[in-house]
Amino acid sequence: MGGEDHMQFPDSFFEDEVRDGFYVPAIIKRGWAAQMELLEDIAAICKKHHIRWFAMWGTLLGAVRHGGFIPWDDDIDIAMLRDDYNRFMSVARQELPEGYYLPLRGNIDTSNMVSAVWNGTEFPLKGALLEKFHGYFFPQGIDIFPFDYAAPNPEDEQLQRELLSITFEIKASVGRNEDTDKLNAVITSLEEMLRITFDKNKPLEEQLDVLIEQLSSLYTARDATEVMYTPDWYSGKPFKWPASYFQNLRMLPFEGFELPVPSGYEDILKVRYGNYMELCYSGGCHNYPIYRNLEKQVDNAAVDRLLYTYHISAGDIKRPDSQTAAAPEKLVEQFLLLTEKLHTQIAQAIFSENPEQAKTLLELCQQSAIQVGDLLEKKWGARLHTVALLEQYCELIWQIYEPLAQGGGPLLDMSGIQMHLGALRDQISTCAGEELGRKREVVFLPWKASGWSILKPLWEAAQHDPDCTSYVIPIPYCYKNLDGGMKTIQYEGELFPDDTAITDYRSYDLQNRRPDVIIIQNPYDGHNLTTSVPPSFYAANLKQYTDKLVYVPYFTLDEIRPGNKKAFINMEHYVSMPGVVHADIVIVQSEQMRQSYIDFLVKSAGEDTKQIWEEKITCNSRIPFLKTK
């Protein structure tokens, strides 16, 4: 760590990602990068002034177990031995970039037992500062914990504990405004014991904080062989380790970089966490995500704009009837049913000498034939004989219509009209049945090759279904600039297995072909910080071109157990999304995940929407393959 240039991360680093079964949203990834950038500034100061620092607590655990951040954590913790900590506190304010913030004597109410360097105090970050911190709008802080040398023997340790206990109790009593005479007596006793005098002209609490710091750092490397974090030791936790662990450091990988860690990190983690390699989604002493409290400082609309927040609306939840798309093959069926009735009505209108009604009905027949023919030609090309028959049908309609338009009688009598129209209609029906068949068309629109393994069983089922024709059409996506603009197009079609037939997304016209089923894997539409597919592939648009829009997540998660609040919170980044809301069917990984989706969506959209989600969301155990019949 350390250097003058901004840290470089690949665009892919900022994508939403599943790590160890936990969904990490893009905003957290930006926060990670911002934390690393802030740590870079701290490390540069330490390098300049020969100050030793090392990763601790969750950051140390993340480096060892994950090679980076714990997926469900969003801050960095570092520590320094007390001498290094004091030197850092003495030089940091002069060395830190303009606008940074460092408390004078540690964080509030910590008695200088922990401090934090912040990259600013105002939200949102803007301009060069926003760019430096990789688009993370919220101020970031890194906690720095001072570690002290432990008392060299039990007698000194007991005395140190008693003195700290008295001092902490006095500080607590001052805060509670307790009996003044009794408090003054305790203060006097402490002054006599330590041969000190508190300045009555200065705030007592500040002087007590200084005393707590002095009592915590009574011993030095010459006196002691162990190191401790005083608040943990004072509260009775057995967290003391050999001083050599912190005097000799090692480097471990962390998010593509390296961090210094105590040489005895395995022992530290074992004492602190027990079986530290076992995943545990709880832990951490702050609210998650850490930026949530900062959101409350500005209006909701501003936060929504910054985070591209999507809000579920009643109009999105249910498909309007007007948006139900019809495939050209279905339009043929509708045309045949419609004209069967119209032919009889045309003959009756002519027989009743009602030419205006007859002309209106003939115009309707011709318009229907032209519409169906155009759609079939766009989807299948002019090679279809069905299209040629529809053209003949239009010519016959014109032959009947023209004499009526000229004010004369029809060339054919009523029975002749019905016979000729009916015969040609029957030819269209037979030819369409042979050429178009009854196969349903299913289109798969993956965007990440890594997610294809989840769709592949559905595709294989469609491949083996004799009544189904399927297409795999990987769609492109772009990474976003910080201003929301699009970078270079990304396309992963070449990364799919060789046994998967790929159709180029530019060669398949969804609007005109109108497949029976479209299956998508991107839920975000325009509501993701890092990536976007083209708007033509947004779920809100795709549902106009099919009778059934199906969403299948491109990732698999660990099940969200009761009490896993962090995982539940992050569902807003992939469940409350357009792909889920606009889809007619959502297929998730398990019954338990299905219930998690339903619970979250009901909480987000209201109890009155529960039945909608229960009908829409299914799982692999309920639908082993996509039924296309």
Side-chain angles (χ1 to χ4, degrees):
M1 303 288 297
E4 296 180 357
D5 296 332
H6 294 178
M7 303 180 76
Q8 299 299 313
F9 295 89
D11 288 329
S12 58
F13 177 84
F14 298 98
E15 290 187 66
D16 297 60
E17 179 186 359
V18 175
R19 289 195 182 186
D20 294 300
F22 186 86
Y23 189 94
V24 184
I27 185 62
I28 296 296
K29 300 292 280 297
R30 286 193 184 188
W32 287 358
Q35 286 270 311
M36 296 286 287
E37 197 72 56
L38 181 55
L39 183 60
E40 179 90 340
D41 291 331
I42 295 172
I45 295 172
C46 291
K47 182 178 181 180
K48 178 179 178 180
H49 293 276
H50 307 288
I51 295 171
R52 182 182 303 166
W53 65 275
F54 44 88
M56 278 300 291
W57 312 141
T59 304
L60 175 60
L61 177 59
V64 173
R65 192 172 67 190
H66 304 275
F69 285 91
I70 297 173
W72 41 95
D73 196 10
D74 58 348
D75 69 339
I76 285 178
D77 299 320
I78 66 172
M80 302 173 183
L81 294 177
R82 177 68 70 171
D83 286 346
D84 289 311
Y85 176 83
N86 289 340
R87 285 196 295 124
F88 179 83
M89 295 293 284
S90 68
V91 302
R93 288 177 189 81
Q94 292 74 42
E95 296 283 0
L96 287 168
E98 183 179 356
Y100 284 35
Y101 171 70
L102 176 66
L104 184 62
R105 294 201 57 79
N107 294 351
I108 296 174
D109 294 330
T110 66
S111 303
N112 208 17
M113 292 295 104
V114 59
S115 192
V117 174
W118 290 84
N119 64 354
T121 57
E122 295 183 1
F123 166 74
L125 300 186
K126 298 177 181 178
L129 205 58
L130 180 64
E131 183 176 354
K132 174 179 178 178
F133 289 100
H134 307 280
Y136 192 74
F137 320 102
F138 308 96
Q140 280 279 33
I142 288 181
D143 287 330
I144 306 175
F145 296 85
F147 274 43
D148 294 299
Y149 286 99
N153 57 67
E155 293 77 14
D156 288 345
E157 181 177 11
Q158 181 61 30
L159 177 61
Q160 184 183 30
R161 189 185 298 276
E162 290 175 358
L163 292 173
L164 279 169
S165 179
I166 295 171
T167 309
F168 276 124
E169 182 57 34
I170 293 174
K171 184 178 178 181
S173 298
V174 171
R176 294 193 296 262
N177 296 316
E178 293 186 354
D179 182 86
T180 303
D181 292 337
K182 182 178 179 181
L183 178 59
N184 287 336
V186 176
I187 292 173
T188 300
S189 174
L190 182 63
E191 288 176 320
E192 293 174 353
M193 188 182 306
L194 297 176
R195 298 179 182 178
I196 61 173
T197 301
F198 291 111
D199 189 338
K200 292 181 173 55
N201 296 317
K202 295 181 180 179
L204 179 58
E205 285 188 273
E206 292 182 6
Q207 297 178 75
L208 290 169
D209 283 341
V210 172
L211 179 58
I212 289 171
E213 180 184 348
Q214 293 171 341
L215 291 173
S216 299
S217 55
L218 286 174
Y219 305 101
T220 67
R222 293 190 302 272
D223 309 311
T225 59
E226 291 182 310
V227 166
M228 64 183 183
Y229 178 54
T230 301
D232 282 346
W233 163 79
Y234 177 75
S235 63
K237 298 175 182 176
F239 299 158
K240 291 195 297 184
W241 298 281
S244 60
Y245 288 0
F246 307 94
Q247 294 162 347
N248 304 302
L249 303 179
R250 292 183 54 180
M251 302 299 290
L252 287 183
F254 193 91
E255 300 298 342
F257 302 91
E258 287 189 325
L259 293 185
V261 302
S263 58
Y265 62 84
E266 292 178 332
D267 184 36
I268 292 171
L269 293 175
K270 185 176 181 180
V271 171
R272 176 83 181 192
Y273 301 107
N275 183 10
Y276 60 87
M277 294 303 291
E278 181 179 347
L279 299 182
C280 177
Y281 295 111
S282 60
C285 58
H286 61 72
N287 293 329
Y288 178 92
I290 201 169
Y291 63 79
R292 188 54 38 96
N293 287 333
L294 295 171
E295 287 182 326
K296 300 174 183 177
Q297 299 178 17
V298 294
D299 63 279
N300 293 334
V303 174
D304 288 350
R305 287 193 301 271
L306 291 171
L307 299 181
Y308 300 102
T309 304
Y310 172 71
H311 293 287
I312 299 173
S313 69
D316 289 346
I317 290 176
K318 204 164 185 179
R319 178 197 286 270
D321 293 338
S322 60
Q323 282 195 333
T324 301
E329 295 82 358
K330 287 193 174 181
L331 288 177
V332 172
E333 296 177 7
Q334 295 172 9
F335 167 79
L336 293 171
L337 291 172
L338 175 66
T339 53
E340 183 178 18
K341 297 178 181 179
L342 291 180
H343 292 172
T344 300
Q345 294 174 9
I346 291 168
Q348 290 174 348
I350 293 174
F351 179 76
S352 303
E353 298 183 355
N354 188 346
E356 293 304 318
Q357 182 183 12
K359 287 193 296 180
T360 300
L361 296 171
L362 287 164
E363 289 170 359
L364 182 57
C365 287
Q366 187 173 52
Q367 290 169 2
S368 299
I370 291 172
Q371 179 188 14
V372 173
D374 286 346
L375 288 174
L376 287 175
E377 193 168 359
K378 287 178 180 178
K379 180 171 182 177
W380 298 98
R383 66 185 183 276
L384 287 180
H385 186 52
T386 303
V387 175
L389 290 174
L390 285 167
E391 291 172 351
Q392 292 179 31
Y393 179 84
C394 289
E395 180 63 28
L396 178 57
I397 290 292
W398 174 250
Q399 292 175 8
I400 299 170
Y401 181 91
E402 187 177 22
L404 295 174
Q406 298 297 330
L411 297 178
L412 301 171
D413 59 20
M414 184 175 69
S415 60
I417 290 173
Q418 283 187 290
M419 181 183 69
H420 282 78
L421 288 175
L424 192 48
R425 176 191 167 280
D426 290 343
Q427 289 183 55
I428 293 171
S429 177
T430 301
C431 187
E434 293 173 353
E435 288 187 318
L436 307 179
R438 294 291 180 180
K439 288 191 175 183
R440 302 190 71 192
E441 195 160 313
V442 180
V443 170
F444 294 83
L445 298 180
W447 68 298
K448 287 284 189 178
S450 59
W452 177 241
S453 61
I454 298 173
L455 279 188
K456 191 173 182 180
L458 300 180
W459 172 70
E460 289 175 337
Q463 286 285 92
H464 290 97
D465 188 334
D467 296 323
C468 178
T469 300
S470 63
Y471 296 85
V472 179
I473 308 176
I475 59 177
Y477 65 96
C478 290
Y479 290 113
K480 291 182 178 180
N481 295 309
L482 295 185
D483 62 2
M486 300 302 170
K487 296 184 179 181
T488 307
I489 290 178
Q490 308 291 316
Y491 177 71
E492 299 189 3
E494 68 279 0
L495 301 179
F496 281 69
D498 293 338
D499 63 351
T500 306
I502 298 298
T503 298
D504 191 293
Y505 66 93
R506 291 162 293 196
S507 67
Y508 188 97
D509 189 340
L510 287 164
Q511 184 173 359
N512 288 310
R513 294 189 68 129
R514 297 182 178 274
D516 298 279
V517 182
I518 296 177
I519 303 177
I520 61 172
Q521 283 195 295
N522 185 296
Y524 310 114
D525 283 8
H527 298 276
N528 186 274
L529 279 173
T530 302
T531 62
S532 177
V533 299
S536 57
F537 293 108
Y538 286 178
N541 293 324
L542 290 174
K543 74 177 183 181
Q544 301 176 64
Y545 309 138
T546 183
D547 289 334
K548 186 175 292 185
L549 182 65
V550 180
Y551 167 65
V552 181
Y554 65 96
F555 50 82
T556 301
L557 301 170
D558 284 353
E559 300 297 343
I560 300 176
R561 309 291 180 185
N564 189 352
K565 295 181 180 179
K566 294 179 179 180
F568 192 79
I569 288 170
N570 280 353
M571 292 183 82
E572 68 182 270
H573 298 285
Y574 62 92
V575 176
S576 292
M577 282 289 153
V580 174
V581 175
H582 286 288
D584 300 295
I585 297 176
V586 176
I587 304 176
V588 297
Q589 65 194 49
S590 67
E591 185 65 44
Q592 184 170 340
M593 188 60 69
R594 173 180 178 267
Q595 192 58 53
S596 296
Y597 267 62
I598 292 171
D599 291 345
F600 188 86
L601 288 164
V602 169
K603 181 179 179 182
S604 301
E607 188 68 31
D608 59 329
T609 65
K610 185 174 183 179
Q611 184 177 351
I612 294 173
W613 310 122
E614 288 179 338
E615 293 174 353
K616 174 181 291 197
I617 300 171
T618 184
C619 63
N620 291 334
S621 63
R622 288 170 168 245
I623 179 167
F625 56 86
L626 182 66
K627 296 181 179 180
T628 58
K629 293 185 180 180

